[in-house]
Amino acid sequence: MRADAQRNAEKLRAAAAELFQERGLKVPLKEIARRAGVSHGTLYNLFGTREALIDEVVAGLAADRLGEAAGHALSFEDAGEGFAYYIERVCELQATDPAVADVVSGRFPAAECLMTICDQTKDAATRIIERAQLAGAVRPDFTGEDLLLFFGTNALLARAVADTASDTWRRQVAFLLTGLSTEAAQEPLSVAPLTPPQMYEVMGRLAGTP
């Protein structure tokens, strides 16, 4: 890559990182190019697609933040406290970083690195759930798909109330954690959990992905 192309690529990465974190991963590419001070065509010439830009700019940061949340949750001696921490931390990330909210929701299935992070997030969530269930802290019929679906709806909630009641997610998390206690599971639920394919389809629909 020529020196001028390298400079333009760095400008675009910096502008994309700022706008993705400010407004989420669906921000118009023309606005990214405008903030970087380059043409729309230059962006396409250097990165090709939105998904390629997302994978290069967002994937590593999202993986670090979500991985840190999972790792810390698994380090709790009390598995129930680790489970509660994980849900609260991911929901907080969704409320404060629109890019991470979009990553957890799986909004861009063509972004390969991003979808790998989604799979890693699901695997980590399942481990955290099963650990808490073995400790008797979480009802036994709650699944990783259930949690990712909750994260998907929380992302929509966080976006909707960002300018009016940005802490609303905390109330929803409190209700969820109360309902997931083993004391609350008096009778089995009448509806089965989503399968992984169903969960990803529903998440895509929630995120507005065809």
Side-chain angles (χ1 to χ4, degrees):
M1 188 181 291
R2 301 194 317 268
D4 59 339
Q6 290 178 342
R7 287 192 294 271
N8 286 337
E10 286 304 314
K11 291 178 183 178
L12 285 164
R13 290 188 190 99
E18 291 174 357
L19 283 167
F20 285 154
Q21 288 187 277
E22 290 172 11
R23 296 169 53 186
L25 302 182
K26 294 186 75 173
V27 63
L29 295 182
K30 288 184 178 180
E31 293 192 26
I32 295 174
R34 187 180 303 118
R35 181 170 292 194
V38 303
S39 70
H40 195 201
T42 297
L43 187 154
Y44 278 106
N45 287 336
L46 291 173
F47 293 99
T49 65
R50 175 187 298 274
E51 287 78 7
L53 183 60
I54 288 171
D55 274 348
E56 185 158 345
V57 172
V58 175
L61 176 63
D64 288 345
R65 291 185 174 178
L66 292 169
E68 181 180 11
H72 190 55
L74 291 167
S75 73
F76 275 73
E77 183 175 350
D78 185 308
E81 291 181 3
F83 173 78
Y85 165 83
Y86 181 68
I87 293 179
E88 291 170 352
R89 179 56 180 151
V90 173
C91 287
E92 181 180 26
L93 286 172
Q94 290 180 305
T96 57
D97 189 334
V100 173
D102 286 343
V103 170
V104 176
S105 299
R107 299 188 75 168
F108 296 91
E112 294 182 4
C113 293
L114 222 59
M115 293 311 296
T116 297
I117 295 169
C118 289
D119 291 339
Q120 292 171 345
T121 299
K122 179 181 178 297
D123 291 342
T126 299
R127 291 199 304 274
I128 293 166
I129 291 167
E130 290 176 348
R131 182 170 176 260
Q133 289 170 332
L134 286 173
V138 172
R139 57 187 298 159
D141 52 357
F142 188 66
T143 69
E145 286 75 27
D146 290 324
L147 182 53
L148 287 190
L149 186 58
F150 176 78
F151 286 153
T153 56
N154 181 71
L156 295 178
L157 172 67
R159 194 182 302 272
V161 301
D163 298 326
T164 55
S166 59
D167 277 349
T168 300
W169 64 269
R170 297 184 185 278
R171 181 177 175 87
Q172 304 309 307
V173 167
F175 282 131
L176 176 72
L177 293 175
T178 299
L180 289 177
S181 67
T182 50
E183 291 81 3
Q186 300 297 322
E187 296 182 3
L189 297 176
S190 60
V191 179
L194 296 177
T195 64
Q198 288 174 326
M199 184 271 297
Y200 281 121
E201 181 181 353
V202 171
M203 293 278 280
R205 290 180 179 178
L206 286 173
T209 302

